[in-house]
Amino acid sequence: MASLGSLALFLTLAVSIYATVVSWLGGRTGRLELVASARNAIFAIAGLTSLATFLLLYAFLTHDFRIEYVALYSSRDMSPTYVIASLWAGSEGSLLFWAWTMSIFASILAFHNRNLTNPLIPYVFAVVMTVQAFFSVLMAFVTNPFQTVPFPPPDGRGLNPLLENMGMFFHPPTLLLGYMGFTIPFAFAIAAMATRRLSSEWLTSIRRWTLIAWLFLGVGNILGMQWAYVELGWGGFWGWDPVENASFMPWLAATAFLHSVMIQKRRGMLKIWNIVLIIITFNLSIFGTFLTRSGVLSSVHSFGQSALGPFFIAFLAVGLLGSLGLLYSRRNYLKSEDELDSLISRESSFLFNNLILVGATFATFLGVIFPLISEATRGVKITVGPPFYNQVNGPIFMFLLLLMGICPLIGWRRASRANLLRNFLYPSIAGVVVAVAMIAVGLRQTWSVIAISTSAFVLSTILLEWFRGVRARRHTRQENYFHAFIRLVLSNRPRYGGYIVHLGIIILAFSIAGTMGYNTSKEVSIKPGESLSIGKYTLRYDSMSQYKTARKDVVVANLTVFNAGERIGTMSPEKFTPIYYNQDVTEVAIRSNLEEDLYVILMGWDRIGGVTAFKVIINPLMAWMWIGSIVLVGGGIFALWPERGRRPVRRGT
Amino acid sequence: MTVVLALLIIAVVGFVVVFPLRKTRPSPKVAKTGPDDELVSRKETTFTALKELDFDYAQGNLTPEDHEELQKKYKDKALTLLKQIDQQQTRQPASRPSEEGIEAEILRLRKTARKTEPQKAGAAGTAPSSTRQPRATPSPQAKSPCPKCHSQIPVSAKYCPYCGSALKPAVCAKCSTPYTPGQRFCSQCGATLTEEKGK
């Protein structure tokens, strides 16, 4: 089985190199049969990588510990769900998953363009297959997931206990799909430059691919936040860890692209900028994949030291310099068709939005690579932590939030003073009223007041925009309010999907402002029978119990929770020690409602005296984080959904 | 067993990849860049801008003055682009022969063929099948009928040499919308249309 798996990987490498060469030749010479052969090669690669993935999965499910990767990441007593998730638990398997999903995406692309009429397609195939070949080289020669061991162990080591969470089933694959998904927009950008077809047509072709990748990366990050919150036991959801940042950066750059692309489609401006953003997004995705595997930075997510680093650096250097060189050679084909009519216009607010998003990306990138810079220049690895990111990115995101409100109400091209006054009067009043109300009730944490009042302002602008759209439609088409609203939203899914995403962001901002501004925590050591109080809650420590499973020793603290004297339930934080891993793992207890989360961590205990240490946190508005995330993802899916009665994009979607 | 499976996989992959390369018909070519792409793209961008402008105005995001001024700007731009596209399209027949041109060319080729046939017959024993005919090229004198007087005129003419009518599309004097001959009122602004001789 291992030899068949390795054969599939070597064949994938050979066929992807072949596909790269023939599709490029087909594009250069105009010989369609060469491109058709490359298209079939893509289908064959999908078959080969699917076979390799299936074989590895089969090895996991049958506990074939002759394969080293299976022995390292699974064991006989693991549930089948986690055994399946073990496929991407290590560097080798996750690279195979990357290559496999890449080949599936490439096949969908090839199937949609099977008649090969789109002149960009030969070059798109060539770029996608180059990336496929790169990952195949890594798997074939550096980290082969089918590597066998001479003496198979009777049982495997099992999954790291921190990874035994449902998050493991969804978080890594969605992130990997997001990273990988940006290959196709990047391939279209390179193809557009190679063929000099740099009008807006290639943008139409990649809109859906970019949105899909953006959505996967966003969902991956959200799932990571949720997982960190419930599993890591520190009460937070985002630690500005290098690998978290690595997945956040391409998402920010892609968000900038999704906004600036509208300017090119509507006004024919920012053509070079859009290509630069796609190049940055793709290279940041590769950088993220590299960061997890290189071992250059320590992170809760990294796979540890490996020999992959130099390969990724070489690939990044070639990809970045090559694409920027091509861009420079095509600069004359990328001249703007128009110019800004006014600085106070929707275009300029889009431009600011782009600068801010790219600024946030750069600030985060600087923070990530700062340890490497400091080590190179001063010989000491200095890591920057959450305070740096919060101080730099906090104000940046606040300004971005404000622009989100300003942008929809400024008309394209220009906005007069009277127009501004008319559009911003009510939203500004809403923002001020919320700020005053917060201060009046004693919620005076500066950043939270600014964030929540700005959120109110933005929410009002969105509602006002929708109301005016409905009114305009009612006036011109004689529809009732309900029908006018539904048809307005359905008439332009990308636009109104975007507004729904903005709504999600507002809810997230509201939640972050509440959680970060008004959270309270307490660390206490108490004996059974004693109580602790935090806010309106009192927690009575009743007892401690222990139990054993085949894989872990578990200690549970039992607490009864009272809200203003009334018993509302029990909470049972745990700590367990896995048999195969020498580390304690915390299982927090959370009581959640729309107002706040009560979060209890079992810190430690004295076996003789019975004194037990707890950390209790109240995180206000935390549930809104997940509600906002659902709204954001829903908006993305709504924008992505094909419009009824409208044919798919003419060529190459 | 593993070796058989491996060979089978290699054979299937090889067949799938090589299959399109078999030579059964002449190789079709990948579509090449069209010269009008950029202009068409700019035209579409301008039309989208015009639509957005109207929606923004309907929603109250633009004042009537701004709307009118910007609408005029974009209409002028759209018109200029349409004219440029039209000019490119009217230039194309010069390189691509019209129907009359093609017929004239066929006639010329037939005459040439008749002249060469007796020579071929006299030179029996040579290999006539390998003799290649000169490639048909479009006549520089290609003609098309004048839309007004129907006289045959050169396709590149800007004015009809027989009736003097302008061969560029006429436009409404008020809103610059193009109109066809015989139309009495502008389809966009409703203004009465007057034929401008020799414009």
Side-chain angles (χ1 to χ4, degrees):
Chain A
M1 191 193 302
S3 48
L4 267 186
S6 291
L7 172 81
L9 295 181
F10 277 99
L11 270 180
T12 300
L13 171 62
V15 177
S16 51
I17 291 171
Y18 168 82
T20 306
V21 175
V22 293
S23 54
W24 181 79
L25 274 177
R28 294 283 293 177
T29 59
R31 288 176 61 190
L32 209 58
E33 74 270 16
L34 291 178
V35 189
S37 177
R39 176 201 59 203
N40 283 17
I42 290 173
F43 294 141
I45 287 168
L48 288 168
T49 52
S50 298
L51 175 70
T53 310
F54 170 77
L55 287 173
L56 191 60
L57 200 58
Y58 183 74
F60 269 114
L61 290 170
T62 55
H63 306 299
D64 186 351
F65 298 125
R66 284 173 299 172
I67 295 173
E68 190 182 13
Y69 185 70
V70 176
L72 279 175
Y73 293 99
S74 71
S75 58
R76 291 185 191 278
D77 57 350
M78 276 169 63
S79 77
T81 310
Y82 290 132
V83 170
I84 292 169
S86 298
L87 187 69
W88 46 77
S91 180
E92 296 88 342
S94 64
L95 284 181
L96 175 61
F97 185 80
W98 216 107
W100 176 50
T101 49
M102 175 83 257
S103 71
I104 300 291
F105 269 43
S107 295
I108 295 168
L109 177 78
F111 183 76
H112 272 282
N113 292 280
R114 58 192 176 280
N115 53 10
L116 310 174
T117 50
N118 187 339
L120 301 183
I121 276 301
Y123 298 95
V124 174
F125 284 172
V127 176
V128 173
M129 285 298 101
T130 306
V131 180
Q132 185 88 49
F134 168 68
F135 279 89
S136 306
V137 166
L138 298 183
M139 284 187 296
F141 297 111
V142 192
T143 54
N144 188 336
F146 293 99
Q147 186 73 45
T148 52
V149 285
F151 305 105
D155 198 358
R157 195 161 166 250
L159 203 59
N160 184 320
L162 279 176
L163 302 180
E164 287 197 19
N165 179 286
M166 272 317 281
M168 183 61 194
F169 204 76
F170 299 107
H171 166 63
T174 44
L175 268 188
L176 288 168
L177 279 165
Y179 280 149
M180 177 278 299
F182 288 120
T183 308
I184 290 175
F186 173 73
F188 268 98
I190 297 294
M193 288 193 284
T195 54
R196 297 179 175 83
R197 298 179 71 93
L198 286 155
S199 56
S200 299
E201 196 183 358
W202 72 277
L203 293 174
T204 315
S205 300
I206 64 163
R207 183 188 154 262
R208 194 156 287 165
W209 288 107
T210 315
L211 256 177
I212 288 172
W214 177 87
L215 205 55
F216 273 123
L217 203 55
V219 171
N221 276 319
I222 290 164
L223 290 172
M225 281 158 58
Q226 208 273 339
W227 187 3
Y229 184 65
V230 301
E231 188 71 31
L232 292 183
W234 54 284
F237 51 89
W238 189 267
W240 295 106
D241 174 277
V243 175
E244 282 176 358
N245 292 339
S247 60
F248 189 44
M249 289 186 290
W251 190 81
L252 285 176
T255 309
F257 173 75
L258 285 170
H259 285 88
S260 67
V261 78
M262 284 185 257
I263 304 281
Q264 181 171 344
K265 281 167 91 174
R266 282 176 172 78
R267 303 288 312 275
M269 295 155 71
L270 304 181
K271 290 180 175 180
I272 292 180
W273 178 245
N274 279 326
I275 290 188
V276 168
L277 282 179
I278 277 288
I279 292 172
I280 289 176
T281 305
F282 171 72
N283 283 289
L284 283 174
S285 297
I286 298 292
F287 179 72
T289 319
F290 151 74
L291 212 57
T292 327
R293 290 161 181 81
S294 63
V296 293
L297 295 169
S298 56
S299 157
V300 68
H301 299 81
S302 55
F303 293 120
Q305 293 284 345
S306 79
L308 289 168
F311 288 88
F312 271 102
I313 289 176
F315 186 68
L316 272 172
V318 171
L320 200 59
L321 294 177
S323 47
L324 289 177
L326 188 60
L327 175 65
Y328 182 76
S329 71
R330 299 293 189 261
R331 65 194 182 282
N332 290 335
Y333 295 88
L334 289 160
K335 285 185 178 149
S336 191
E337 292 166 22
D338 218 327
E339 69 284 334
L340 277 180
D341 288 307
S342 161
L343 257 182
I344 306 172
S345 62
R346 197 175 294 185
E347 289 90 327
S348 58
S349 70
F350 266 102
L351 206 60
F352 278 125
N353 143 305
N354 258 246
L355 291 175
I356 287 169
L357 282 165
V358 173
T361 310
F362 181 71
T364 312
F365 183 73
L366 204 63
V368 169
I369 62 161
F370 192 77
L372 303 179
I373 297 172
S374 67
E375 193 177 27
T377 53
R378 296 173 57 188
V380 190
K381 215 175 212 176
I382 301 170
T383 307
V384 291
F388 164 80
Y389 294 104
N390 289 338
Q391 269 186 3
V392 175
N393 282 342
I396 289 179
F397 289 132
M398 205 66 77
F399 192 47
L400 192 66
L401 192 66
L402 184 69
L403 274 180
M404 220 161 69
I406 293 172
C407 197
L409 289 195
I410 292 194
W412 291 99
R413 290 156 288 279
R414 79 161 63 170
S416 66
R417 190 177 293 174
N419 171 249
L420 288 177
L421 193 69
R422 178 177 173 272
N423 284 339
F424 291 111
L425 183 65
Y426 294 121
S428 302
I429 289 173
V432 171
V433 166
V434 168
V436 170
M438 281 182 76
I439 292 165
V441 298
L443 299 169
R444 292 176 186 169
Q445 212 281 337
T446 313
W447 280 113
S448 296
V449 171
I450 294 173
I452 292 177
S453 56
T454 309
S455 299
F457 165 79
V458 180
L459 180 68
S460 316
T461 61
I462 293 176
L463 294 179
L464 194 63
E465 167 81 354
W466 286 13
F467 171 70
R468 284 183 178 161
V470 168
R471 201 174 55 181
R473 214 181 151 93
R474 223 175 94 78
H475 182 68
T476 51
R477 308 202 180 189
Q478 314 300 320
E479 292 167 344
N480 64 38
Y481 279 106
F482 178 73
H483 280 118
F485 174 72
I486 297 293
R487 284 177 187 152
L488 175 79
V489 172
L490 291 177
S491 67
N492 194 342
R493 283 177 188 271
R495 181 180 182 142
Y496 289 95
Y499 284 141
I500 297 170
V501 171
H502 285 185
L503 268 181
I505 301 273
I506 294 167
I507 300 171
L508 282 172
F510 173 67
S511 171
I512 293 169
T515 307
M516 291 182 70
Y518 302 101
N519 73 335
T520 47
S521 68
K522 204 171 194 179
E523 281 185 43
V524 287
S525 295
I526 49 176
K527 286 181 181 175
E530 291 179 344
S531 297
L532 69 96
S533 293
I534 182 166
K536 60 191 177 188
Y537 299 102
T538 303
L539 288 93
R540 191 183 67 213
Y541 177 28
D542 296 326
S543 62
M544 177 173 274
S545 54
Q546 290 188 20
Y547 64 91
K548 221 173 187 169
T549 69
R551 300 190 66 224
K552 57 188 180 184
D553 293 326
V554 187
V555 175
V556 189
N558 303 301
L559 299 141
T560 306
V561 188
F562 298 89
N563 182 357
E566 187 190 343
R567 185 184 183 280
I568 55 168
T570 59
M571 292 179 84
S572 304
E574 296 180 359
K575 215 171 189 75
F576 66 84
T577 313
I579 289 162
Y580 297 108
Y581 280 82
N582 188 24
Q583 69 181 103
D584 286 343
V585 180
T586 304
E587 285 283 354
V588 298
I590 305 170
R591 279 189 72 89
S592 185
N593 59 37
L594 289 179
E595 191 186 344
E596 62 202 5
D597 276 15
L598 179 63
Y599 190 100
V600 184
I601 309 158
L602 173 60
M603 306 278 286
W605 57 93
D606 176 6
R607 286 178 198 278
I608 302 160
V611 177
T612 307
F614 294 97
K615 184 173 183 181
V616 187
I617 305 169
I618 293 179
N619 279 328
L621 308 177
M622 195 62 204
W624 292 96
M625 182 78 71
W626 320 125
I627 295 171
S629 300
I630 292 167
V631 173
L632 187 148
V633 173
I637 293 171
F638 184 80
L640 188 67
W641 210 259
E643 292 185 39
R644 198 169 49 173
R646 189 170 290 187
R647 285 171 63 81
V649 180
R650 277 175 298 157
R651 295 189 298 190
T653 50
Chain B
M1 180 64 182
T2 308
V3 175
V4 174
L5 272 173
L7 288 174
L8 191 70
I9 292 167
I10 293 170
V12 169
V13 168
F15 177 75
V16 168
V17 172
V18 173
F19 185 74
L21 297 177
R22 76 201 191 288
K23 275 278 177 192
T24 53
R25 54 188 170 157
S27 163
K29 300 282 181 183
V30 177
K32 291 284 177 187
T33 313
D36 294 335
D37 272 10
E38 197 56 36
L39 274 181
V40 172
S41 159
R42 289 176 66 185
K43 184 197 83 179
E44 281 170 6
T45 306
T46 313
F47 281 176
T48 314
L50 268 168
K51 263 207 266 180
E52 284 283 339
L53 203 65
D54 287 343
F55 191 71
D56 277 343
Y57 177 58
Q59 280 190 299
N61 290 343
L62 279 173
T63 60
E65 300 79 44
D66 282 349
H67 177 244
E68 198 176 336
E69 188 190 325
L70 291 167
Q71 196 182 40
K72 187 177 178 316
K73 180 182 166 183
Y74 279 90
K75 274 189 174 171
D76 288 348
K77 194 178 163 188
L79 197 69
T80 312
L81 286 167
L82 280 173
K83 278 179 184 169
Q84 284 174 353
I85 291 168
D86 277 355
Q87 276 170 5
Q88 281 199 350
Q89 280 169 346
T90 48
R91 244 183 271 135
Q92 276 178 350
S95 55
R96 259 190 296 155
S98 63
E99 267 190 38
E100 286 82 1
I102 292 166
E103 277 175 15
E105 193 63 23
I106 291 168
L107 204 67
R108 193 181 63 78
L109 287 170
R110 275 185 185 150
K111 278 179 189 169
T112 320
R114 271 190 220 117
K115 277 181 196 167
T116 52
E117 261 169 20
Q119 289 169 11
K120 277 183 200 166
T126 56
S129 59
S130 64
T131 315
R132 292 184 68 183
Q133 292 289 342
R135 196 166 166 263
T137 49
S139 164
Q141 299 302 319
K143 289 183 175 183
S144 66
C146 164
K148 194 167 183 192
C149 69
H150 307 292
S151 309
Q152 290 294 317
I153 55 170
V155 288
S156 55
K158 288 184 178 170
Y159 300 94
C160 175
Y162 302 100
C163 68
S165 61
L167 298 168
K168 278 196 269 181
V171 292
C172 168
K174 196 174 172 192
C175 72
S176 306
T177 304
Y179 65 89
T180 50
Q183 206 176 316
R184 291 175 63 199
F185 301 100
C186 176
S187 61
Q188 293 300 310
C189 67
T192 311
L193 301 171
T194 48
E195 296 258 343
E196 290 175 61
K197 295 272 181 191
K199 185 184 172 184

PDB file of all heavy atoms in Angstrom, chain B residues 96-114:
ATOM      1  N   ARG B  96     -11.046  42.497 -44.268  1.00  0.00           N
ATOM      2  CA  ARG B  96     -11.849  41.308 -44.555  1.00  0.00           C
ATOM      3  C   ARG B  96     -12.758  41.633 -45.740  1.00  0.00           C
ATOM      4  O   ARG B  96     -13.534  42.592 -45.666  1.00  0.00           O
ATOM      5  CB  ARG B  96     -12.697  40.956 -43.323  1.00  0.00           C
ATOM      6  CG  ARG B  96     -12.100  39.820 -42.548  1.00  0.00           C
ATOM      7  CD  ARG B  96     -13.042  39.329 -41.506  1.00  0.00           C
ATOM      8  NE  ARG B  96     -13.302  40.348 -40.492  1.00  0.00           N
ATOM      9  CZ  ARG B  96     -14.393  40.385 -39.760  1.00  0.00           C
ATOM     10  NH1 ARG B  96     -15.334  39.497 -39.922  1.00  0.00           N
ATOM     11  NH2 ARG B  96     -14.565  41.333 -38.861  1.00  0.00           N
ATOM     12  N   PRO B  97     -12.731  40.891 -46.807  1.00  0.00           N
ATOM     13  CA  PRO B  97     -13.495  41.254 -47.990  1.00  0.00           C
ATOM     14  C   PRO B  97     -14.992  41.176 -47.764  1.00  0.00           C
ATOM     15  O   PRO B  97     -15.466  40.328 -47.023  1.00  0.00           O
ATOM     16  CB  PRO B  97     -13.048  40.216 -49.024  1.00  0.00           C
ATOM     17  CG  PRO B  97     -12.494  39.078 -48.221  1.00  0.00           C
ATOM     18  CD  PRO B  97     -11.950  39.674 -46.979  1.00  0.00           C
ATOM     19  N   SER B  98     -15.744  42.107 -48.413  1.00  0.00           N
ATOM     20  CA  SER B  98     -17.202  42.060 -48.366  1.00  0.00           C
ATOM     21  C   SER B  98     -17.677  40.961 -49.306  1.00  0.00           C
ATOM     22  O   SER B  98     -16.874  40.360 -50.035  1.00  0.00           O
ATOM     23  CB  SER B  98     -17.766  43.405 -48.811  1.00  0.00           C
ATOM     24  OG  SER B  98     -17.391  43.612 -50.148  1.00  0.00           O
ATOM     25  N   GLU B  99     -18.988  40.729 -49.355  1.00  0.00           N
ATOM     26  CA  GLU B  99     -19.520  39.674 -50.237  1.00  0.00           C
ATOM     27  C   GLU B  99     -19.159  39.927 -51.696  1.00  0.00           C
ATOM     28  O   GLU B  99     -18.726  39.018 -52.410  1.00  0.00           O
ATOM     29  CB  GLU B  99     -21.035  39.612 -50.077  1.00  0.00           C
ATOM     30  CG  GLU B  99     -21.423  38.585 -49.029  1.00  0.00           C
ATOM     31  CD  GLU B  99     -22.915  38.350 -49.027  1.00  0.00           C
ATOM     32  OE1 GLU B  99     -23.545  38.336 -50.097  1.00  0.00           O
ATOM     33  OE2 GLU B  99     -23.404  38.175 -47.920  1.00  0.00           O
ATOM     34  N   GLU B 100     -19.320  41.209 -52.094  1.00  0.00           N
ATOM     35  CA  GLU B 100     -18.998  41.564 -53.477  1.00  0.00           C
ATOM     36  C   GLU B 100     -17.518  41.312 -53.750  1.00  0.00           C
ATOM     37  O   GLU B 100     -17.142  40.818 -54.806  1.00  0.00           O
ATOM     38  CB  GLU B 100     -19.320  43.042 -53.741  1.00  0.00           C
ATOM     39  CG  GLU B 100     -20.800  43.342 -53.871  1.00  0.00           C
ATOM     40  CD  GLU B 100     -21.483  43.493 -52.501  1.00  0.00           C
ATOM     41  OE1 GLU B 100     -20.787  43.370 -51.466  1.00  0.00           O
ATOM     42  OE2 GLU B 100     -22.665  43.714 -52.475  1.00  0.00           O
ATOM     43  N   GLY B 101     -16.715  41.673 -52.753  1.00  0.00           N
ATOM     44  CA  GLY B 101     -15.266  41.485 -52.883  1.00  0.00           C
ATOM     45  C   GLY B 101     -14.919  40.020 -53.068  1.00  0.00           C
ATOM     46  O   GLY B 101     -14.103  39.661 -53.907  1.00  0.00           O
ATOM     47  N   ILE B 102     -15.611  39.172 -52.245  1.00  0.00           N
ATOM     48  CA  ILE B 102     -15.340  37.731 -52.328  1.00  0.00           C
ATOM     49  C   ILE B 102     -15.726  37.203 -53.709  1.00  0.00           C
ATOM     50  O   ILE B 102     -14.971  36.463 -54.357  1.00  0.00           O
ATOM     51  CB  ILE B 102     -16.118  36.977 -51.226  1.00  0.00           C
ATOM     52  CG1 ILE B 102     -15.531  37.347 -49.851  1.00  0.00           C
ATOM     53  CG2 ILE B 102     -16.043  35.468 -51.423  1.00  0.00           C
ATOM     54  CD1 ILE B 102     -16.406  36.954 -48.691  1.00  0.00           C
ATOM     55  N   GLU B 103     -16.920  37.674 -54.213  1.00  0.00           N
ATOM     56  CA  GLU B 103     -17.371  37.211 -55.538  1.00  0.00           C
ATOM     57  C   GLU B 103     -16.390  37.634 -56.630  1.00  0.00           C
ATOM     58  O   GLU B 103     -16.048  36.855 -57.524  1.00  0.00           O
ATOM     59  CB  GLU B 103     -18.763  37.767 -55.824  1.00  0.00           C
ATOM     60  CG  GLU B 103     -19.825  36.892 -55.175  1.00  0.00           C
ATOM     61  CD  GLU B 103     -21.230  37.462 -55.318  1.00  0.00           C
ATOM     62  OE1 GLU B 103     -21.410  38.379 -56.157  1.00  0.00           O
ATOM     63  OE2 GLU B 103     -22.093  36.994 -54.593  1.00  0.00           O
ATOM     64  N   ALA B 104     -15.924  38.881 -56.539  1.00  0.00           N
ATOM     65  CA  ALA B 104     -14.968  39.391 -57.532  1.00  0.00           C
ATOM     66  C   ALA B 104     -13.690  38.564 -57.503  1.00  0.00           C
ATOM     67  O   ALA B 104     -13.113  38.235 -58.539  1.00  0.00           O
ATOM     68  CB  ALA B 104     -14.662  40.864 -57.235  1.00  0.00           C
ATOM     69  N   GLU B 105     -13.315  38.200 -56.259  1.00  0.00           N
ATOM     70  CA  GLU B 105     -12.078  37.428 -56.099  1.00  0.00           C
ATOM     71  C   GLU B 105     -12.230  36.031 -56.706  1.00  0.00           C
ATOM     72  O   GLU B 105     -11.325  35.525 -57.382  1.00  0.00           O
ATOM     73  CB  GLU B 105     -11.760  37.326 -54.603  1.00  0.00           C
ATOM     74  CG  GLU B 105     -10.370  36.842 -54.270  1.00  0.00           C
ATOM     75  CD  GLU B 105      -9.272  37.767 -54.763  1.00  0.00           C
ATOM     76  OE1 GLU B 105      -9.562  38.979 -54.966  1.00  0.00           O
ATOM     77  OE2 GLU B 105      -8.177  37.272 -54.982  1.00  0.00           O
ATOM     78  N   ILE B 106     -13.421  35.416 -56.471  1.00  0.00           N
ATOM     79  CA  ILE B 106     -13.674  34.079 -57.039  1.00  0.00           C
ATOM     80  C   ILE B 106     -13.612  34.130 -58.565  1.00  0.00           C
ATOM     81  O   ILE B 106     -12.993  33.282 -59.225  1.00  0.00           O
ATOM     82  CB  ILE B 106     -15.047  33.531 -56.567  1.00  0.00           C
ATOM     83  CG1 ILE B 106     -14.976  33.225 -55.052  1.00  0.00           C
ATOM     84  CG2 ILE B 106     -15.441  32.266 -57.326  1.00  0.00           C
ATOM     85  CD1 ILE B 106     -16.319  32.954 -54.436  1.00  0.00           C
ATOM     86  N   LEU B 107     -14.225  35.189 -59.117  1.00  0.00           N
ATOM     87  CA  LEU B 107     -14.233  35.379 -60.576  1.00  0.00           C
ATOM     88  C   LEU B 107     -12.796  35.474 -61.102  1.00  0.00           C
ATOM     89  O   LEU B 107     -12.432  34.841 -62.100  1.00  0.00           O
ATOM     90  CB  LEU B 107     -15.009  36.666 -60.894  1.00  0.00           C
ATOM     91  CG  LEU B 107     -15.621  36.739 -62.292  1.00  0.00           C
ATOM     92  CD1 LEU B 107     -16.727  35.696 -62.432  1.00  0.00           C
ATOM     93  CD2 LEU B 107     -16.191  38.138 -62.539  1.00  0.00           C
ATOM     94  N   ARG B 108     -11.979  36.253 -60.385  1.00  0.00           N
ATOM     95  CA  ARG B 108     -10.592  36.456 -60.817  1.00  0.00           C
ATOM     96  C   ARG B 108      -9.830  35.122 -60.770  1.00  0.00           C
ATOM     97  O   ARG B 108      -9.088  34.786 -61.692  1.00  0.00           O
ATOM     98  CB  ARG B 108      -9.927  37.476 -59.888  1.00  0.00           C
ATOM     99  CG  ARG B 108      -8.593  38.009 -60.406  1.00  0.00           C
ATOM    100  CD  ARG B 108      -8.010  38.988 -59.418  1.00  0.00           C
ATOM    101  NE  ARG B 108      -7.690  38.366 -58.127  1.00  0.00           N
ATOM    102  CZ  ARG B 108      -6.609  37.618 -57.925  1.00  0.00           C
ATOM    103  NH1 ARG B 108      -5.756  37.374 -58.896  1.00  0.00           N
ATOM    104  NH2 ARG B 108      -6.390  37.087 -56.741  1.00  0.00           N
ATOM    105  N   LEU B 109     -10.073  34.375 -59.708  1.00  0.00           N
ATOM    106  CA  LEU B 109      -9.374  33.089 -59.546  1.00  0.00           C
ATOM    107  C   LEU B 109      -9.782  32.098 -60.636  1.00  0.00           C
ATOM    108  O   LEU B 109      -8.961  31.355 -61.151  1.00  0.00           O
ATOM    109  CB  LEU B 109      -9.655  32.493 -58.159  1.00  0.00           C
ATOM    110  CG  LEU B 109      -8.943  33.193 -57.011  1.00  0.00           C
ATOM    111  CD1 LEU B 109      -9.478  32.681 -55.675  1.00  0.00           C
ATOM    112  CD2 LEU B 109      -7.439  32.924 -57.076  1.00  0.00           C
ATOM    113  N   ARG B 110     -11.129  32.134 -60.949  1.00  0.00           N
ATOM    114  CA  ARG B 110     -11.607  31.225 -62.020  1.00  0.00           C
ATOM    115  C   ARG B 110     -10.901  31.541 -63.345  1.00  0.00           C
ATOM    116  O   ARG B 110     -10.491  30.656 -64.064  1.00  0.00           O
ATOM    117  CB  ARG B 110     -13.127  31.383 -62.184  1.00  0.00           C
ATOM    118  CG  ARG B 110     -13.874  30.505 -61.194  1.00  0.00           C
ATOM    119  CD  ARG B 110     -15.348  30.569 -61.454  1.00  0.00           C
ATOM    120  NE  ARG B 110     -16.062  29.816 -60.426  1.00  0.00           N
ATOM    121  CZ  ARG B 110     -17.277  30.112 -60.034  1.00  0.00           C
ATOM    122  NH1 ARG B 110     -17.918  31.150 -60.557  1.00  0.00           N
ATOM    123  NH2 ARG B 110     -17.875  29.373 -59.133  1.00  0.00           N
ATOM    124  N   LYS B 111     -10.815  32.889 -63.609  1.00  0.00           N
ATOM    125  CA  LYS B 111     -10.172  33.304 -64.858  1.00  0.00           C
ATOM    126  C   LYS B 111      -8.723  32.824 -64.885  1.00  0.00           C
ATOM    127  O   LYS B 111      -8.237  32.291 -65.867  1.00  0.00           O
ATOM    128  CB  LYS B 111     -10.217  34.836 -64.972  1.00  0.00           C
ATOM    129  CG  LYS B 111     -11.537  35.354 -65.495  1.00  0.00           C
ATOM    130  CD  LYS B 111     -11.499  36.882 -65.546  1.00  0.00           C
ATOM    131  CE  LYS B 111     -12.889  37.422 -65.855  1.00  0.00           C
ATOM    132  NZ  LYS B 111     -12.916  38.879 -65.639  1.00  0.00           N
ATOM    133  N   THR B 112      -8.042  32.991 -63.732  1.00  0.00           N
ATOM    134  CA  THR B 112      -6.640  32.561 -63.638  1.00  0.00           C
ATOM    135  C   THR B 112      -6.533  31.058 -63.875  1.00  0.00           C
ATOM    136  O   THR B 112      -5.640  30.590 -64.573  1.00  0.00           O
ATOM    137  CB  THR B 112      -6.075  32.892 -62.246  1.00  0.00           C
ATOM    138  OG1 THR B 112      -6.551  34.145 -61.851  1.00  0.00           O
ATOM    139  CG2 THR B 112      -4.555  32.893 -62.235  1.00  0.00           C
ATOM    140  N   ALA B 113      -7.501  30.322 -63.261  1.00  0.00           N
ATOM    141  CA  ALA B 113      -7.486  28.863 -63.384  1.00  0.00           C
ATOM    142  C   ALA B 113      -7.661  28.442 -64.835  1.00  0.00           C
ATOM    143  O   ALA B 113      -6.974  27.541 -65.321  1.00  0.00           O
ATOM    144  CB  ALA B 113      -8.582  28.269 -62.514  1.00  0.00           C
ATOM    145  N   ARG B 114      -8.628  29.146 -65.533  1.00  0.00           N
ATOM    146  CA  ARG B 114      -8.864  28.798 -66.949  1.00  0.00           C
ATOM    147  C   ARG B 114      -7.599  29.021 -67.771  1.00  0.00           C
ATOM    148  O   ARG B 114      -7.266  28.276 -68.656  1.00  0.00           O
ATOM    149  CB  ARG B 114     -10.022  29.659 -67.488  1.00  0.00           C
ATOM    150  CG  ARG B 114     -11.363  28.976 -67.257  1.00  0.00           C
ATOM    151  CD  ARG B 114     -12.472  29.696 -67.995  1.00  0.00           C
ATOM    152  NE  ARG B 114     -13.651  29.733 -67.146  1.00  0.00           N
ATOM    153  CZ  ARG B 114     -14.212  30.828 -66.690  1.00  0.00           C
ATOM    154  NH1 ARG B 114     -13.704  32.014 -66.982  1.00  0.00           N
ATOM    155  NH2 ARG B 114     -15.278  30.774 -65.944  1.00  0.00           N
TER     156      ARG B 114
END
